Amino acid sequence: MMRAFFAILRRDLALSFRAGGGAGIGVIFFLAVVMVVPFAIGPDQKLLSQIGPAILWSGALLASLLGLDRLFGADAEDGSLDLLLLAPLPLEVIAFAKALAHWLATGLPLVIAAPLFGLMLGVEGKASLALATMLFVGTPAIAFLGLIGAALAASLSRAGLLIAVLIVPFTIPVLIFGTAATEAAISGTPFGTAFKLLAALLLFSLVIGPVAAAAALRIGRGT
Amino acid sequence: MPKTRGMKIGDLANPNRFLRIARVAIPLCAAASAVLLAYGFYRGFHTPAERDQGTVFRIMFVHVPSAWLALGIYSLMATAALGTLVWRHPLADVAQKAAAPIGAAFALVCLVTGAIWGRPTWGTYWEWDGRLTSMLVLFLIYLGIIALWRAFEEPLQAAKAVAILTLVGFINVPIVKYSVDWWSTLHQRASVFRLDGPTMHPAYLSPLLVCALGFSFLFAALLMAAMRNELMRRRVRTLTLFAAREAH
């Protein structure tokens, strides 16, 4: 079972990094969001450093939603989704592997890029470390919640915007506790409660995401 | 074994029987709603003005029932989603589809009346307070459900996909309900459904409950009418598909 799990993980990672799967595009989109905000509110360095973590969080959220329609869409088109459904591996495990690969290819680069982009918004030193830590816990939660939307829309041909509309309401708690923990950590106040709730959301999404996604995939394929 | 007489919930599973019942029940519910709302609003407008808010508090007779219904309809939809996935009840997804736009409308009414009420009393139309935000999230989930319904072509496939989304979204309902106790910032705490009994003055409480009942009957009438339309729409779709196949 573990071998099959890692095989799916390797396949999806290879696809997103090599075959024009667009692993890097999320980071570029993230940069674009970060770049747009200072234009919109003006280059006030003090204000920017105040709202910097919030901009980076919303940018990371939007960038995480970007590739979700390809998560199952590409497999549904070329028929490999049918093979995955026939595989002896539980569908929940397959969904977990695919979400993990998706996060490694699109979420983790955002976490690594965030401190760098943070410099442009006046988020430095301890603050950027805090931000990266919180994003490291928060972005997988977003990816595993997004998995549900991706699975629901797997059999639809024009699913891109629909998935974002479906998933954004469910990611609001991640954003609330993620930004709360980040702000607290930056200002030096205890961030334990918000961080624990963020971690709880991650654990919750790790369970409910694959289970709901597997159910949605079975329905979509009429089995 | 003698056949049991009387109505069972299972009898409603037959769409034809549902249509027969709906033909009688829709006008009855609509009439009950009209009478109750007229009486409730009349009583509500003849209560003494509130000490701090003057007369603006009367928007409560629309705002509070809408909020209750927005949450109640979502709970009903979640039950119907279980009915689709677990019991495969043939009318559950019809009810779910019909209820979604009505629930979204009540959520919107709740948000808009809340904003109108908030301006003179809190001094702001909108505040990112726990309850306001979670009600907005509920409204967005309603819109997402409606969008997903429209994305699928095959009603039965759509029904199951929407059922999963509805069940996942049900997590938000207790969050809305208890948000005022968890993040007590601006919106007042529950003053009707409390363990130690309502804290609202009876002069306001009884018209409020009458209005809530009136809105509930309005919802029942709208729901059954929308379900009837949906059943008709599916019949038309099936007949059109048949006709297209015949013509081939």
Side-chain angles (χ1 to χ4, degrees):
Chain A
M1 189 162 122
M2 282 323 273
R3 265 190 51 208
F5 176 82
F6 282 113
I8 295 172
L9 192 67
R10 249 199 320 274
R11 165 184 176 271
D12 270 38
L13 281 175
L15 277 176
S16 42
F17 279 109
R18 280 187 219 145
I25 298 191
V27 181
I28 300 170
F29 180 77
F30 188 31
L31 177 62
V33 172
V34 169
M35 189 185 72
V36 161
V37 176
F39 280 118
I41 63 167
D44 180 350
Q45 195 58 245
K46 208 165 141 254
L47 179 64
L48 278 180
S49 73
Q50 230 171 38
I51 62 168
I55 298 169
L56 291 164
W57 261 100
S58 359
L61 170 64
L62 293 177
S64 304
L65 299 175
L66 210 56
L68 281 175
D69 58 323
R70 301 315 295 158
L71 187 53
F72 291 111
D75 287 350
E77 272 164 28
D78 66 9
S80 40
L81 184 60
D82 293 320
L83 289 177
L84 288 174
L85 280 166
L86 289 172
L89 207 58
L91 198 52
E92 286 81 3
V93 177
I94 296 175
F96 191 96
K98 289 196 69 87
L100 186 62
H102 178 75
W103 177 72
L104 287 174
T106 61
L108 196 56
L110 296 180
V111 178
I112 296 165
L116 197 66
F117 297 164
L119 294 178
M120 299 157 66
L121 296 170
V123 181
E124 290 172 12
K126 197 175 67 131
S128 68
L129 182 70
L131 179 77
T133 316
M134 301 307 168
L135 279 176
F136 185 74
V137 182
T139 46
I142 296 171
F144 275 83
L145 288 172
L147 177 72
I148 305 174
L152 281 174
S155 53
L156 300 174
S157 47
R158 292 171 299 276
L161 269 178
L162 180 68
I163 294 176
V165 169
L166 294 183
I167 291 307
V168 164
F170 296 105
T171 57
I172 299 290
V174 178
L175 201 62
I176 291 175
F177 295 117
T179 47
T182 313
E183 296 288 348
I186 289 174
S187 64
T189 46
F191 59 87
T193 316
F195 181 70
K196 277 177 203 156
L197 281 168
L198 183 65
L201 283 172
L202 170 62
L203 295 176
F204 175 74
S205 66
L206 287 182
V207 176
I208 195 140
V211 172
L217 286 175
R218 286 196 192 100
I219 285 160
R221 291 279 133 173
T223 48
Chain B
M1 202 171 152
K3 257 177 108 175
T4 40
R5 280 307 198 173
M7 268 297 289
K8 290 198 305 286
I9 191 80
D11 290 350
L12 280 171
N14 181 336
N16 283 322
R17 187 165 298 176
F18 169 79
L19 287 175
R20 270 208 304 281
I21 294 169
R23 203 177 303 146
V24 185
I26 292 173
L28 280 181
C29 286
S33 160
V35 171
L36 284 168
L37 281 180
Y39 177 67
F41 285 146
Y42 176 81
R43 284 275 310 276
F45 276 95
H46 283 81
T47 50
E50 218 252 296
R51 186 187 40 166
D52 299 323
Q53 302 183 16
T55 196
V56 69
F57 83 95
R58 293 187 212 279
I59 203 170
M60 169 180 91
F61 299 120
V62 180
H63 176 75
V64 176
S66 312
W68 287 346
L69 275 169
L71 288 176
I73 292 171
Y74 199 90
S75 313
L76 184 93
M77 281 165 55
T79 318
L82 273 182
T84 306
L85 290 178
V86 181
W87 304 299
R88 310 194 179 239
H89 192 287
L91 276 176
D93 61 306
V94 179
Q96 209 265 8
K97 185 172 185 183
I102 310 174
F106 275 117
L108 185 64
V109 168
C110 171
L111 288 170
V112 170
T113 53
I116 296 169
W117 192 5
R119 182 67 194 162
T121 51
W122 294 339
T124 170
Y125 285 113
W126 187 263
E127 177 71 39
W128 291 98
D129 156 90
R131 167 148 293 179
L132 276 68
T133 313
S134 43
M135 188 48 111
L136 180 65
V137 170
L138 181 67
F139 178 59
L140 282 178
I141 293 177
Y142 270 126
L143 294 186
I145 287 172
I146 297 169
L148 192 62
W149 265 115
R150 301 171 70 116
F152 285 92
E153 218 169 279
E154 178 60 47
L156 289 178
Q157 208 184 10
K160 289 178 181 168
V162 173
I164 292 175
L165 184 72
T166 311
L167 286 179
V168 175
F170 189 61
I171 302 155
N172 191 47
V173 169
I175 295 181
V176 178
K177 177 79 185 77
Y178 294 108
S179 54
V180 276
D181 300 325
W182 295 340
W183 303 287
S184 153
T185 47
L186 190 58
H187 196 287
Q188 65 162 335
R189 282 158 174 261
S191 51
V192 178
F193 293 120
R194 298 166 63 102
L195 285 178
D196 49 352
T199 55
M200 190 184 277
H201 193 279
Y204 300 138
L205 185 60
S206 66
L208 176 63
L209 292 180
V210 172
C211 285
L213 204 61
F215 276 114
S216 307
F217 272 112
L218 176 66
F219 164 65
L222 288 173
L223 177 70
M224 282 188 285
M227 283 172 72
R228 191 171 60 181
N229 289 351
E230 176 62 20
L231 285 171
M232 297 294 181
R233 203 176 292 130
R234 287 189 189 179
R235 274 184 198 174
V236 169
R237 181 175 179 276
T238 317
L239 290 176
T240 321
L241 285 178
F242 266 120
R245 207 167 296 157
E246 295 283 305
H248 216 45

